[in-house]
Amino acid sequence: MRPLDTARVPDGMRVYAIGDVHGCNHLLHDLLMKIEADDLARGPAETLIIFLGDLMDRGPDSAGVIETAMALRKAGRNVRFLMGNHEEVFVRACRKNDPKVTRFFIRIGGEATVLSYPITRSEYIALDMHQLSERLGSLVPESHLDFIDSFEDQIVIGDYVFVHAGIRPGVPLAEQKPSDLRWIREDFVEQRGDLEKVVVYGHTIYDSVEERGSRIGIDTGAYASAELTAIGLEGGERWYLQT
């Protein structure tokens, strides 16, 4: 067990984890600039940036967020991405051509994502779910879907584990189900006591960073609050950056 006050990342490493972006590309650019300046000010280290998932939906520029994320990887930055529930549904909607999946995608904020691609609102409104399901396959570049398919379900670094939604309490990290890592909420956030690692997660929105027991929640509802949050970790130190 590693309680929050004693958790560490390996010596020589500096980790920044970014909460749910949800289509807010302008906030992401602002936060990346703050991370860049903070990283430079702290001196040399092996720096890693982790995205906790939910790059798309709800905010105005999901396609732009995906392009920004792809550009970081193409530029050779040390960056890793976690699969969120919104990524899962987005890829299924684009590849399954299933109106039921498309309807669920739209219901959880997918309309904003669709409109961030080359389609006008009038064109979008004119489509029924069957037509929209067919259109998605050609509207979203395959490169975006392939990129998202490469996302991970959990990342363990030192005494921390990074996931999108949380973990199933009582289940070893190696045995966690992807569905829980991407979707769990109440059973995780209502858990009390120490966990196998300190869990850094998004998915559940808080007014400010939530530090409790072995949990650190950093989804501050960027699409509604304009506050996109990152946690910084080095040795036994942690700090936060926000837009």
Side-chain angles (χ1 to χ4, degrees):
M1 297 293 182
R2 294 286 186 174
L4 185 56
D5 57 355
T6 60
R8 297 181 59 86
V9 297
D11 291 343
M13 282 198 73
R14 184 177 300 139
V15 180
Y16 296 93
I18 297 174
D20 303 31
V21 181
H22 276 307
C24 298
N25 197 31
H26 62 300
L27 297 181
L28 176 56
H29 279 278
D30 289 348
L31 187 59
L32 288 171
M33 288 178 62
K34 290 188 176 187
I35 289 172
E36 192 77 24
D38 185 77
D39 189 38
L40 183 63
R42 290 175 184 273
E46 180 189 344
T47 300
L48 169 66
I49 298 175
I50 297 172
F51 284 74
L52 295 184
D54 284 4
L55 299 184
M56 74 285 300
D57 296 346
R58 297 177 176 161
D61 191 12
S62 294
V65 170
I66 295 170
E67 287 288 341
T68 297
M70 292 173 66
L72 287 171
R73 179 176 283 178
K74 289 176 182 175
R77 296 295 300 272
N78 190 14
V79 60
R80 297 171 72 176
F81 300 89
L82 289 165
M83 179 77 75
N85 57 312
H86 285 259
E87 277 88 4
E88 177 185 304
V89 175
F90 175 59
V91 171
R92 285 178 59 206
C94 291
R95 288 190 165 151
K96 291 293 186 181
N97 193 13
D98 183 338
K100 291 182 180 179
V101 176
T102 302
R103 185 175 290 107
F104 182 61
F105 165 57
I106 296 301
R107 185 161 67 83
I108 63 172
E111 177 177 309
T113 299
V114 175
L115 292 172
S116 72
Y117 288 95
I119 184 172
T120 65
R121 177 168 288 278
S122 59
E123 288 178 297
Y124 167 76
I125 291 172
L127 299 174
D128 62 27
M129 283 298 159
H130 288 274
Q131 293 168 329
L132 180 58
S133 297
E134 294 175 355
R135 184 73 183 275
L136 282 175
S138 59
L139 193 63
V140 177
E142 192 67 21
S143 61
H144 285 199
L145 301 179
D146 289 342
F147 172 63
I148 293 169
D149 272 339
S150 74
F151 289 8
E152 303 171 74
D153 284 322
Q154 62 173 296
I155 298 169
V156 176
I157 299 174
D159 298 323
Y160 292 89
V161 59
F162 301 83
V163 296
H164 173 63
I167 65 172
R168 176 68 61 185
V171 177
L173 290 178
E175 299 174 17
Q176 293 283 329
K177 296 179 180 178
S179 58
D180 283 332
L181 298 172
R182 300 173 189 177
W183 290 92
I184 198 170
R185 199 183 306 274
E186 285 80 7
D187 289 349
F188 170 67
V189 300
E190 293 175 2
Q191 177 272 346
R192 297 295 180 264
D194 293 338
L195 297 166
E196 183 178 344
K197 300 277 187 181
V198 172
V199 183
V200 179
Y201 65 102
H203 188 60
T204 298
I205 296 175
Y206 300 103
D207 291 334
S208 59
V209 172
E210 171 82 352
E211 291 190 358
R212 183 185 294 272
S214 295
R215 299 187 287 104
I216 304 177
I218 64 168
D219 181 1
T220 45
Y223 68 94
S225 67
E227 292 184 354
L228 180 62
T229 299
I231 184 174
L233 300 167
E234 185 171 5
E237 183 184 4
R238 66 180 179 276
W239 64 96
Y240 299 97
L241 301 172
Q242 276 190 327
T243 55

